Amino acid sequence: VITGINAASMAVFRRELYAGSATTNGLVYKLKTGLHDDTTAIDFRLKTGDLPLTQPHEVKSLKRLYLDLEPKPDSSYNGTVTPTFYVDRSTTAYTMGSVDLGEDLTFITAEVPFQTTDVQEVRTVGLQLQNNQTNAPVKVYRMWLEYEPRLQP
């Protein structure tokens, strides 16, 4: 998802993506490079579809989300990733705290518990990771869920 760019045109030149500004400033922007957009934070959002995990009709209890992330490349950068989740195809977002991208310099495996007071039972879950900070690159290697099947009476 590319947001916040007022582009009149986009083009690929030598395997690089460029956008021409729709304003009168006449600028051409090289996309997918750098850590900010003219000192404005680049919006990062990764959202999955609704995941049934097993069978969609089976009820589950969510335990933890695990994230494998690349840490920030320089100690002067600051950044976090904020995970949220959605249940049973709803549009209600449940926050899960945040993950500091500076907690390790080599590799980050973050364990983020689901807030069990918010949601007790789910059939499907959608996940979202967000960041909107300057100098805070995000690279997600993988994410996985820990959950338990709930027995129906």
Side-chain angles (χ1 to χ4, degrees), residues 37-125:
D37 180 18
D38 285 344
T39 69
T40 301
I42 297 173
D43 290 330
F44 166 80
R45 184 174 55 127
L46 179 143
K47 187 172 182 186
T48 70
D50 293 306
L51 308 170
L53 307 177
T54 54
Q55 297 297 319
H57 65 279
E58 293 178 349
V59 177
K60 298 100 177 156
S61 174
L62 302 173
K63 298 298 179 190
R64 289 173 196 80
L65 170 66
Y66 294 91
L67 301 169
D68 280 348
L69 304 166
E70 184 173 284
K72 58 187 183 178
D74 186 301
S75 61
S76 67
Y77 298 163
N78 55 13
T80 58
V81 171
T82 305
T84 54
F85 68 100
Y86 303 82
V87 298
D88 299 336
R89 299 184 175 124
S90 78
T91 57
T92 303
Y94 297 96
T95 60
M96 302 175 68
S98 63
V99 177
D100 181 4
L101 294 174
E103 72 179 46
D104 193 320
L105 297 176
T106 56
F107 194 76
I108 298 171
T109 298
E111 176 184 333
V112 186
F114 284 92
Q115 303 299 325
T116 55
T117 57
D118 292 335
V119 176
Q120 297 295 321
E121 298 178 340
V122 305
R123 286 179 172 73
T124 64
V125 63

